[in-house]
Amino acid sequence: MAHTKNTKHSKNTHRTGRRRSLRREVPSTVALITDPQDFAAMRGYRSFTFDNHTHYLQQMEALLRSLASQGIHVSVALFDAEEYTAYCTETGQNPDTPTSRTRYTAEVASGGPTIPYTGQPLEHLITQLEFKTDRQSTWEYATSLLSRTGDCADCGQDIARSSFDRASQALRRLIEAAGPGSHHIVCSVPADSAPLLAALHARCDEDAMVHLDEAEALIFCTVLAVGIATDSSGGVVMRTSTPDGGTDQVRGWSLHDGWLHPLTEAEVFNAYCTDAETGDPVPPEPGVVHCPGTPLPPPTDD
């Protein structure tokens, strides 16, 4: 009889071990409320038991650590209270239940931008998540603006496609003109509510090989294409750090007539040393030289 009990115990232990092994192969998504206003909105539901945002974030960080310690792959998504309410309305679910929040996380939040949790501090993770979410929102808004442009009345060309082609040529020629070094390039284009902004990091080595993030390049070209398609008065600023560790150089270009045109040294200084929101002057940054933009070869239209 004792042998039978030991055998059953062994089998149960074996099953438990297999379930734990399988659990490690099932990824998890955690939706995090990073915005205090979203947290305040969720407090209106009785089933949401947290009453302090800081304490909530501490508890969520402990949950993330616990999941990661079990070898589970964890992705963190953004929990948007307004989007959650809309989801519950559209699907006919009661928003005041944990089940609805779970379904929202599985069906909506996990489909958006996510950041893998690898043990990084929560503050760092939130910064990563909000940056990626903002970048995604910029791309979606820019894409929607491009989709409204239609075809050219004179030549019948698809304006969005031809504008994106021009933007891609402009980016390539910007980096070629800058030469070896690390380049931080920012494009700004006026839009209805607030300027569209896209930033790109690129590195060009001594062999003229360019290294950049494709997702950043896609968003940058999409934003620039919006300015080209709508004939907006946008612009581009590039900061270059050279391999020898010398003084950083800042150059600028204005967007008009469907192409980027170089700014003068004085115009670059004014653009770089002016607060974009208030228009107030900003003190020049030490160790930075303001240079005129390099003329870019005109685009080649097919």
Side-chain angles (χ1 to χ4, degrees), residues 43-238:
R43 285 192 61 197
Y45 301 120
R46 294 182 62 184
S47 63
F48 187 79
T49 57
F50 292 96
D51 58 7
N52 181 282
H53 193 208
T54 300
H55 182 243
Y56 160 82
L57 292 175
Q58 291 171 346
Q59 292 295 311
M60 294 299 286
E61 185 171 25
L63 171 63
L64 292 171
R65 287 175 178 169
S66 175
L67 292 171
S69 69
Q70 300 172 51
I72 299 171
H73 176 78
V74 186
S75 296
V76 182
L78 193 68
F79 193 105
D80 186 300
E82 185 176 347
E83 186 180 62
Y84 171 68
T85 301
Y87 165 77
C88 290
T89 300
E90 292 171 2
T91 58
Q93 297 186 60
N94 178 5
D96 199 359
T97 67
T99 300
S100 296
R101 292 193 289 274
T102 301
R103 288 178 175 171
Y104 164 78
T105 299
E107 298 178 23
V108 179
S110 61
T114 59
I115 296 294
Y117 177 71
T118 57
Q120 65 267 53
L122 191 65
E123 295 81 2
H124 185 203
L125 186 145
I126 290 175
T127 299
Q128 290 178 303
L129 183 57
E130 291 181 341
F131 173 78
K132 193 170 184 179
T133 301
D134 288 343
R135 192 173 68 173
Q136 178 73 14
S137 298
T138 297
W139 180 76
E140 290 176 352
Y141 183 42
T143 301
S144 70
L145 292 177
L146 272 181
S147 67
R148 304 174 194 171
T149 55
D151 296 333
C152 176
D154 296 327
C155 65
Q157 275 192 329
D158 184 320
I159 295 176
R161 177 172 295 181
S162 61
S163 297
F164 189 87
D165 289 343
R166 278 197 166 210
S168 300
Q169 290 184 54
L171 175 59
R172 184 169 60 253
R173 290 174 186 178
L174 278 168
I175 297 174
E176 289 173 352
S182 297
H183 313 295
H184 179 66
I185 316 169
V186 178
C187 177
S188 174
V189 171
D192 295 336
S193 54
L196 279 171
L197 292 172
L200 171 70
H201 294 82
R203 181 174 60 84
C204 186
D205 59 29
E206 296 293 341
D207 297 324
M209 292 292 294
V210 176
H211 308 270
L212 49 76
D213 183 277
E214 291 185 2
E216 287 186 349
L218 173 62
I219 297 170
F220 183 95
C221 289
T222 303
V223 168
L224 182 56
V226 169
I228 294 172
T230 59
D231 197 23
S232 298
S233 56
V236 169
V237 173
M238 175 191 291

Side-chain angles (χ1 to χ4, degrees), residues 236-237 250-254 261-272 289-295:
V236 169
V237 173
V250 175
R251 291 180 168 82
W253 295 261
S254 63
H261 301 272
L263 296 175
T264 65
E265 180 181 338
E267 290 172 329
V268 172
F269 179 88
N270 289 334
Y272 204 72
V289 174
H290 302 89
C291 307
T294 306

Side-chain angles (χ1 to χ4, degrees), residues 5-51:
K5 286 184 178 180
N6 289 337
T7 301
K8 289 182 178 179
H9 176 74
S10 177
K11 287 182 178 179
N12 290 336
T13 302
H14 185 60
R15 291 194 189 100
T16 301
R18 284 188 298 179
R19 283 197 296 268
R20 287 175 179 170
S21 296
L22 287 172
R23 181 69 185 91
R24 287 194 292 269
E25 297 183 21
V26 178
S28 293
T29 301
V30 174
L32 191 64
I33 306 173
T34 63
D35 185 80
Q37 292 184 341
D38 282 339
F39 182 82
M42 295 305 297
R43 285 192 61 197
Y45 301 120
R46 294 182 62 184
S47 63
F48 187 79
T49 57
F50 292 96
D51 58 7

